[in-house]
Amino acid sequence: MKKVVSILMCIMMMAGICACSTGGKGEGTETKEAGGKEKGLIGITTSMYTNEGLTIMCDTIKAKVEEEGYQAVIKDANLDQAQQTKDVEDFISQGAKLIIVEACDSVGVKSAFELCNKAGIPVLSVNQILGEDLLKLVTGSVTSDNYTAGYEVGKEVAKQLNGKGKVCILTYDVAFVCRERGDGFKDAMKENPGIEVLEVFDGVCTEDEAMKKTEDWMQQYPDVTAIFGNNSNCGVGIAAAVRSAGKTDDILVANVDGLSGDIRNMDDGALDITAVYPMKELAAEAADRAVEVLKTGECGEDPRLKFSLCTVDDIETYKEYWGIK
């Protein structure tokens, strides 16, 4: 008899443990406020989570909305727009209250936005630039002034070249945020008749691709005097190739993003000019708007944050910004 009672008590204890379990951080599970009110899931999808700036952006947004009692899940599309659309479908099927999208493709993302609209789920676009037709599909958009960033970097390149030189440019026009940077840089070059643009090469967005293309350019154009990359990955790749070739004193390297890798390259002379992305500020703005939408159903005016031009003269400021010792 004692043995039977003992077994029954064990079963009851196990049932109690299961009933009290909160589960893991599985996608689609919901969190609750202290009063028991469910808040729900916020889905975050990004084009390239391994990019340091986007890691900071996604992690900051996640932390801030979780402080408000929501669960946040990040998905990395790894530059694959079809995968990003599938990730959005997954968030919808999990009953997400809001979806934040940092698009892989500023045009191809349209189908993901349409899925959100059809499901009645508000969608917030961050970082990427969208056309007017896509802006109509989102509840709000938080981005930065990328054209001016590229233009200001271009002006500084021209200044350091004394208005004369030969330049190669890496672009990634499928993402409008990078396209605008490239457009700004190219417009600055046009203002300097003594500067010849040797080649504009589109479709590069990763460190390895940028390194390989820079190596090719140094062979093809031995007299190149400056190379511009559209993002931090490109800046790091260009700098690595130029450093490896022993040409840091001969080729001026510039990019847009100014992440910690860029600042470190600038510190050792492999990068000369960058525009620092206000990524922490952008993430805070995006998180605030996400919570605003969930509370009120509306979103305030879309901000376009400003970059900060950085040369070696400003390096200590941005070491501090990124926590570089």
Side-chain angles (χ1 to χ4, degrees):
M1 182 67 180
K2 287 182 180 180
K3 187 173 182 180
V4 172
V5 172
S6 178
I7 291 171
L8 288 172
M9 287 180 68
C10 288
I11 292 170
M12 291 173 67
M13 286 174 66
M14 290 300 295
I17 290 170
C18 292
C20 293
S21 175
T22 57
K25 286 186 124 180
E27 296 171 7
T29 59
E30 294 190 324
T31 58
K32 295 185 179 182
E33 294 180 274
K37 182 181 177 182
E38 293 180 344
K39 281 203 165 182
L41 171 69
I42 294 177
I44 304 168
T45 169
T46 182
S47 64
M48 194 182 205
Y49 185 74
T50 53
N51 175 283
E52 179 191 14
L54 297 179
T55 302
I56 291 169
M57 183 192 77
C58 292
D59 289 353
T60 301
I61 293 172
K62 184 177 189 292
K64 286 184 174 292
V65 299
E66 286 182 344
E67 287 174 4
E68 295 289 330
Y70 296 94
Q71 182 198 7
V73 173
I74 300 168
K75 287 180 176 285
D76 179 12
N78 196 25
L79 297 176
D80 184 342
Q81 186 56 61
Q83 179 61 49
Q84 187 165 61
T85 302
K86 182 179 183 301
D87 291 342
V88 167
E89 289 179 313
D90 288 345
F91 285 141
I92 292 170
S93 69
Q94 293 161 24
K97 302 298 183 184
L98 177 140
I99 299 175
I100 298 172
V101 178
E102 191 272 322
C104 296
D105 183 328
S106 297
V107 175
V109 73
K110 182 178 181 180
S111 59
F113 291 158
E114 289 175 337
L115 287 170
C116 294
N117 289 181
K118 184 177 179 181
I121 297 173
V123 57
L124 186 66
S125 173
V126 296
N127 186 44
Q128 291 291 15
I129 307 296
L130 303 175
E132 289 298 324
D133 57 331
L134 268 70
L135 283 173
K136 295 175 183 177
L137 300 176
V138 301
T139 309
S141 173
V142 182
T143 187
S144 298
D145 188 353
N146 290 275
Y147 175 87
T148 300
Y151 179 76
E152 291 298 328
V153 168
K155 281 178 60 179
E156 183 63 23
V157 167
K159 177 183 174 182
Q160 292 197 23
L161 291 177
N162 295 317
K164 297 179 181 179
K166 297 185 178 183
V167 179
C168 290
I169 302 170
L170 289 177
T171 60
Y172 189 69
D173 287 353
V174 69
F176 288 0
V177 61
C178 292
R179 185 190 69 180
E180 289 203 349
R181 296 171 180 185
D183 287 350
F185 186 85
K186 287 182 281 187
D187 285 349
M189 294 299 98
K190 291 174 184 176
E191 295 176 358
N192 295 271
I195 293 178
E196 178 187 358
V197 176
L198 296 171
E199 186 176 343
V200 177
F201 189 85
D202 185 40
V204 174
C205 188
T206 69
E207 182 178 332
D208 289 345
E209 291 170 335
M211 184 185 303
K212 179 63 170 64
K213 191 60 186 175
T214 300
E215 290 169 347
D216 292 344
W217 275 339
M218 288 188 293
Q219 291 291 323
Q220 185 178 358
Y221 307 114
D223 54 350
V224 62
T225 53
I227 301 176
F228 169 80
N230 64 79
N231 68 1
S232 186
N233 293 336
C234 288
V236 171
I238 295 166
V242 170
R243 184 192 296 111
S244 180
K247 293 189 175 183
T248 54
D249 293 333
D250 303 316
I251 299 176
L252 187 152
V253 179
N255 80 328
V256 174
D257 266 346
L259 303 181
S260 65
D262 297 318
I263 302 306
R264 289 187 176 94
N265 279 328
M266 186 175 287
D267 201 24
D268 74 6
L271 181 74
D272 300 279
I273 304 162
T274 189
V276 179
Y277 203 119
M279 193 60 78
K280 296 177 183 179
E281 293 80 0
L282 180 138
E285 289 276 5
D288 288 346
R289 277 163 174 72
V291 173
E292 179 184 357
V293 169
L294 288 165
K295 287 182 176 179
T296 69
E298 299 178 353
C299 186
E301 183 178 351
D302 296 341
R304 287 176 68 86
L305 282 69
K306 300 294 183 184
F307 287 73
S308 302
L309 188 70
C310 176
T311 65
V312 69
D313 295 335
D314 315 297
I315 196 168
E316 293 305 322
T317 297
Y318 296 103
K319 279 185 178 181
E320 182 178 349
Y321 184 80
W322 294 117
I324 300 171
K325 301 298 183 183

